[in-house]
């Protein structure tokens, strides 16, 4: 079962990175979209990256409480990675950097609770 979670995690991680880099493979993106909105389109696929990270690294959780915080930490990390990719590909915006800071703070909180419960 652990091998299955790792394989699914790797597939989700790769799919998340591909869709973060090229988000118009599945969804149609209007031509009049701004760079800021393009970063937001990329961030949506960070959830797949986070689920892939969760499937690869957090597959042996005994209790549901650490599992919830591990999932929240992994998804937040995936969103952070997707936002950084968007910032690198589409340019830097102050509001995007604020979102990145908020997500990093949330990751620290979720990681702290995961560490305390485990």
């Amino acid at each position: 079962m652990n091998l299955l979670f790792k394989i699914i995690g790797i597939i989700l991680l790769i799919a998340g990175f591909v869709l973060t880099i090229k988000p118009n493979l599945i969804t149609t993106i209007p031509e009049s979209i701004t760079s800021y909105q393009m970063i937001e389109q990329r961030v949506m696929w960070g959830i797949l990256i986070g689920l892939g990270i969760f499937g690869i690294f957090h597959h042996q959780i005994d209790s549901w409480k650490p599992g919830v915080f591990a999932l929240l930490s992994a998804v937040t990390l995936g969103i952070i990675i997707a936002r950084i990719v968007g910032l690198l590909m589409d340019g830097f915006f102050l509001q995007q950097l604020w979102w990145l800071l908020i997500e990093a703070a949330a990751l620290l909180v979720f990681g702290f609770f995961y560490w305390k419960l485990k």
Side-chain angles (χ1 to χ4, degrees):
M1 194 66 165
N2 290 338
L3 181 63
L4 179 65
F5 281 131
K6 286 186 179 188
I7 291 171
I8 291 171
I10 290 169
I11 291 170
L12 287 173
L13 186 69
I14 292 170
F17 272 115
V18 167
L19 290 171
T20 297
I21 293 170
K22 191 110 170 105
N24 58 355
L25 286 177
I26 293 180
T27 59
T28 57
I29 298 174
E31 293 180 19
S32 63
I33 193 167
T34 65
S35 296
Y36 180 86
Q37 293 168 335
M38 190 65 187
I39 293 173
E40 291 299 321
Q41 291 288 324
R42 294 179 194 282
V43 168
M44 179 178 63
W45 298 110
I47 295 172
L48 283 179
I49 295 172
L51 291 175
I53 292 169
F54 181 76
I56 293 170
F57 295 111
H58 303 292
H59 52 274
Q60 293 181 342
I61 297 173
D62 300 328
S63 177
W64 68 271
K65 288 180 184 180
V68 168
F69 285 110
L71 178 64
L72 290 172
S73 297
V75 169
T76 305
L77 179 62
I79 290 171
I80 288 171
I81 291 170
R83 190 169 305 276
I84 290 171
V85 168
L87 286 170
L88 292 174
M89 294 182 75
D90 298 319
F92 287 91
F93 299 95
L94 184 60
Q95 191 172 6
Q96 290 291 343
L97 292 174
W98 280 112
W99 279 115
L100 184 63
L101 182 65
I102 292 168
E103 290 159 355
L107 178 62
L108 288 174
V109 170
F110 295 146
F112 174 75
F113 283 123
Y114 175 70
W115 175 69
K116 283 301 246 185
L117 290 173
K118 192 158 179 162

